[in-house]
Amino acid sequence: MAQTISVPGVGNFDVPIDSSFTQQVKAANQAMADHADFFKAHADQIKGAQKQWAPQLQQPNMPDLAGMFDTQTHNTASDVALSAAKSKIGSEYVWGASGPQNFDCSGLVQWAYKQAGVELPRTSFEQMHVGRPVAYQDLKPGDLVIMSGGGHVAMYAGDGKILQAPQSGETVSYAHLSPDQVDTARRVA
């Protein structure tokens, strides 16, 4: 189970702790909300410290911390969904799982877009019909990339990469994308 910690001016983070900590999470969120002006005023310092220390904290099977405290304004649901999916890097693939700790491919996409307020169907076969089609050369971060005849879905992450929950025994991670892998791509938001 995960609890959401909200840091004003920085973002929301799902922390893998069980429900016995609900009161502590509520108290932490209230304390941060009470001091929102402080957090917003120091967001650049938080971002700078994160950029400085994140590379040194990288270890195998640890989430990529780069960009975690990016304070840019997210303008689209696709931006918010991709950021949510990035927060799950390192989460285990489990067939049929849709979060918040474990995911299969379509469960990750559905969960990420739900964080952005967009409801998507559960399976990759259903997701290949949402939104509007997008040509490979027009892909934007957050677009859905459908592969394997509709049996796999990932989110385009930019720079020729996808973010995905690949298969059993692997974790949510980035992978390179080539045009011949794509059956269809869809822009949801």
Side-chain angles (χ1 to χ4, degrees):
M1 172 175 230
Q3 300 278 332
T4 301
I5 303 289
S6 299
V7 182
V10 178
N12 295 329
F13 304 93
D14 285 342
V15 180
I17 54 177
D18 64 48
S19 60
S20 66
F21 291 95
T22 300
Q23 292 303 324
Q24 290 89 337
V25 169
K26 285 182 182 178
N29 282 333
Q30 185 60 52
M32 285 189 259
D34 291 345
H35 296 90
D37 292 338
F38 172 84
F39 286 105
K40 290 177 183 174
H42 293 87
D44 289 338
Q45 290 173 324
I46 294 169
K47 182 179 176 181
Q50 177 270 330
K51 284 183 178 179
Q52 177 184 356
W53 293 104
Q56 297 172 28
L57 297 173
Q58 286 304 104
Q59 296 178 14
N61 298 322
M62 288 290 292
D64 179 7
L65 299 178
M68 181 178 273
F69 295 112
D70 190 353
T71 57
Q72 73 180 9
T73 302
H74 296 291
N75 295 326
T76 68
S78 294
D79 293 331
V80 174
L82 184 58
S83 291
K86 286 178 182 178
S87 77
K88 295 305 180 178
I89 291 174
S91 295
E92 293 290 326
Y93 177 98
V94 174
W95 187 84
S98 57
Q101 291 179 315
N102 301 309
F103 300 90
D104 67 7
C105 64
S106 57
L108 175 66
V109 169
Q110 182 188 46
W111 178 88
Y113 268 95
K114 186 174 184 177
Q115 306 316 297
V118 177
E119 295 291 329
L120 292 181
R122 176 62 187 90
T123 70
S124 56
F125 292 101
E126 294 170 312
Q127 291 172 359
M128 72 186 295
H129 301 289
V130 299
R132 63 181 178 87
V134 178
Y136 178 84
Q137 65 271 17
D138 296 327
L139 283 171
K140 291 184 180 178
D143 286 344
L144 307 188
V145 178
I146 311 297
M147 299 169 272
S148 302
H152 185 64
V153 63
M155 295 178 75
Y156 186 68
D159 298 322
K161 294 182 182 175
I162 54 173
L163 184 57
Q164 64 177 343
Q167 61 187 7
S168 293
E170 296 187 34
T171 61
V172 173
S173 57
Y174 291 102
H176 292 285
L177 178 68
S178 63
D180 62 324
Q181 293 174 286
V182 179
D183 290 326
T184 187
R186 311 295 293 190
R187 183 151 305 144
V188 176

